[in-house]
Amino acid sequence: MAPRITVIGTGYLGATHAAAMAELGFEVLGLDVDPGKIEMLGRGRVPMYEPGLEELLQKHVAGLEGSTGRLRFTTSWEEVGEFGDVHFVCVNTPQKHGEYACDMSYVDAAVTSLAAVLHRPALVVGKSTVPVGSAARLARLLAELAPAGDDVELAWNPEFLREGFAVQDTLHPDRIVVGVAGEHGEKLLREVYAGPIGEGTPFVVADYPTAELVKTAANSFLATKISFINAMAEVCEAADGDVVKLAEAIGHDDRIGKKFLRAGVGFGGGCLPKDIRAFMARAGELGADQALTFLREVDSINMRRRAHMVELAREAVGGSFLGQRVAVLGATFKPDSDDVRDSPALNVAGQIHLQGGQVTVYDPKGMDNARRLFPTLAYAPSALEACRGARVVLHLTEWGEFRELDPAAVAAVVADRHLIDGRNALDAAAWRDAGWTFRAMGRPRA
Ligand code: UDX
């Protein structure tokens, strides 16, 4: 019989994983400690914006008309213990307040609660991003606390999904990595992932520490690639070069590749910034901090982008923000998401506001989250409204909607035709033709 699956923690990762497992044909039970979230998911509604996720949930959530009924949600640990053969732990691991290290309290609490209800053989599979060494520690915790004792096994199976592509990345991952302590875990996970494996997805088997490190190494590499091109943008600005052309040219070398070479205001979000910091902190604990000192530079190049954008904006409004209207297009950390965690766009908007600017923000999906985080900024219902009366327009998240803006229509509502493209995504020639002073990060002035 096919293994029955539970998913613990139904945030971004968990909700997507649960729906994807149901799509792959399994019976799935999702658990969260937040009854509000469970109630919503039980109605087939998603607490965040993620393309395709709500449709997938509605296809499978039990009780909804026309659904397969394979997916249910609960807040009961006992139910999870009784139901599952494979338990995926998908809770979040945020950065600790006031330090770089990762806060493991949610993972520890989830594994402790789960262990107590494991009365029969089970495979516990960690998916959260954790400091290396956590899996070994959690395996000991399970052995100590689970009534089924040795019949409970742990595996580590890091997740590489990108927001905005979560459903696609989960159903058709580019690789599956599993850290296991024995053959049983590997066999069971091959069964769970038979669909993607059948499509040709590579299945990489490793030990616990390697599997944990794969995730942090991958995110560190991506962050490094972005900061590399942003460092080149700094040099291009100093030398009057064009970083977009430069990225295109080096990207033709397939050892380098074109992806993740978009210069601009840099990376944000719930993963890259906190993951590289947690990685540095963990390397320090292991006595290997020198190996990762370059990540400090990666982080600082990235943070410098935000400050540089503020400076470009200040210059555009004549040297001081006091009393000046500034339009900010974009609030989320990337397009096709409503996530504003560590968003460069909001960070820039906040800095300008604190320096006396009158900032108005518009974002297609991130307005509610942005308002919660920065209630003192002004928000407009459309891009055009945000730009009304502005002395400078900042393009900080590359939503498709902003590429469609008509430069002449925007020109008709602003006070000054100054545009700064913080994502190198707009058509410079079209804006300049409509009379705009167009600046972009790492590109010649005009
Ligand atoms: C990332 C990893 O890509 C994913 O594999 C991991 O599982 C979680 O972290 P995500 O946070 O969804 O995913 O966003 P990603 O698409 O990686 O973008 C991160 C940030 O980098 C965004 O703010 C984006 O705007 C920025 N970015 C990305 C650039 O500034 N330039 C680029 O070329 C690419």
Side-chain angles (χ1 to χ4, degrees):
M1 225 177 73
R4 293 199 301 185
I5 289 173
T6 83
V7 175
I8 291 145
T10 58
Y12 214 86
L13 167 58
T16 313
H17 192 67
M21 287 294 118
E23 175 73 7
L24 291 177
F26 296 99
E27 295 288 326
V28 184
L29 182 62
L31 174 139
D32 204 287
V33 293
D34 176 350
K37 227 183 242 176
I38 288 302
E39 190 269 330
M40 236 181 134
L41 289 163
R43 287 186 286 119
R45 305 303 304 272
V46 186
M48 64 262 169
Y49 174 72
E50 179 62 39
L53 181 54
E54 200 150 272
E55 290 80 347
L56 200 63
L57 272 178
Q58 290 179 1
K59 191 170 162 194
H60 298 295
V61 170
L64 300 185
E65 207 187 309
S67 83
T68 63
R70 288 200 287 264
L71 178 54
R72 291 184 302 114
F73 292 95
T74 183
T75 51
S76 156
W77 286 102
E78 280 70 27
E79 211 182 326
V80 159
E82 259 165 51
F83 179 87
D85 303 304
V86 180
H87 304 275
F88 284 99
V89 177
C90 297
V91 296
N92 64 338
T93 49
Q95 188 176 334
K96 271 190 190 164
H97 281 297
E99 45 182 307
Y100 272 9
C102 157
D103 178 355
M104 284 292 288
S105 58
Y106 301 106
V107 175
D108 291 354
V111 171
T112 304
S113 303
L114 176 64
V117 296
L118 296 178
H119 294 279
R120 63 186 186 82
L123 178 68
V124 177
V125 187
K127 286 192 91 60
S128 310
T129 300
V130 295
V132 59
S134 302
R137 180 176 63 78
L138 294 168
R140 288 194 295 274
L141 191 71
L142 278 171
E144 204 178 292
L145 300 180
D150 285 350
D151 285 339
V152 174
E153 214 180 301
L154 179 80
W156 214 263
N157 169 217
E159 180 57 57
F160 306 103
L161 67 79
R162 298 159 300 166
E163 295 189 16
F165 299 90
V167 170
Q168 154 85 10
D169 286 352
T170 308
L171 286 173
H172 310 285
D174 54 12
R175 79 281 208 191
I176 295 164
V177 177
V178 298
V180 289
E183 276 172 20
H184 174 68
E186 178 187 339
K187 199 172 144 273
L188 207 49
L189 283 169
R190 280 188 188 277
E191 209 177 319
V192 168
Y193 289 119
I197 293 171
E199 284 177 358
T201 300
F203 189 83
V204 182
V205 182
D207 52 26
Y208 288 154
T210 310
E212 293 167 312
L213 284 169
V214 167
K215 170 68 190 219
T216 30
N219 274 358
S220 300
F221 191 86
L222 294 172
T224 303
K225 211 171 169 190
I226 300 170
S227 277
F228 172 83
I229 202 64
N230 281 330
M232 294 305 110
E234 286 186 17
V235 180
C236 279
E237 268 184 43
D240 224 12
D242 183 341
V243 75
V244 174
K245 203 40 99 184
L246 181 142
E248 180 194 330
I250 62 172
H252 285 305
D253 182 332
D254 63 10
R255 292 170 304 176
I256 296 174
K258 285 191 194 332
K259 292 183 181 161
F260 266 65
L261 283 183
R262 280 194 331 273
V265 278
F267 60 82
C271 293
L272 299 191
K274 68 121 176 139
D275 285 355
I276 61 171
R277 292 173 190 156
F279 199 17
M280 285 186 266
R282 184 62 185 140
E285 289 167 7
L286 293 169
D289 44 340
Q290 266 193 329
L292 297 187
T293 44
F294 76 96
L295 286 180
R296 211 173 301 154
E297 201 50 46
V298 165
D299 200 3
S300 102
I301 293 168
N302 191 52
M303 297 315 275
R304 227 160 42 222
R305 304 311 285 164
R306 304 175 182 190
H308 185 50
M309 176 48 91
V310 174
E311 285 321 309
L312 291 178
R314 189 201 314 283
E315 211 178 284
V317 298
S320 163
F321 287 118
L322 280 178
Q324 305 287 3
R325 298 193 68 141
V326 177
V328 166
L329 301 183
T332 54
F333 82 104
K334 68 185 229 182
D336 295 316
S337 162
D338 64 355
D339 195 342
V340 298
R341 284 178 295 171
D342 203 355
S343 164
L346 270 189
N347 185 298
V348 166
Q351 286 190 51
I352 295 176
H353 170 74
L354 289 175
Q355 293 177 33
Q358 294 180 13
V359 183
T360 306
V361 179
Y362 167 72
D363 187 278
K365 295 284 177 202
M367 299 289 267
D368 290 346
N369 288 338
R371 248 193 222 104
R372 263 195 292 276
L373 201 61
F374 280 93
T376 49
L377 297 173
Y379 295 90
S382 70
L384 220 52
E385 283 310 312
C387 293
R388 194 171 294 282
R391 295 227 29 221
V392 62
V393 176
L394 311 183
H395 174 244
L396 301 183
T397 312
E398 68 276 36
W399 286 93
E401 181 178 328
F402 300 146
R403 282 194 295 279
E404 307 292 308
L405 283 172
D406 172 8
V410 188
V413 301
V414 293
D416 271 327
R417 298 179 191 186
H418 286 299
L419 176 73
I420 309 178
D421 184 1
R423 289 295 181 181
N424 281 313
L426 300 178
D427 181 350
W431 286 86
R432 285 184 180 134
D433 286 351
W436 287 79
T437 310
F438 182 97
R439 283 200 75 178
M441 301 183 97
R443 305 191 80 179
R445 274 169 183 257

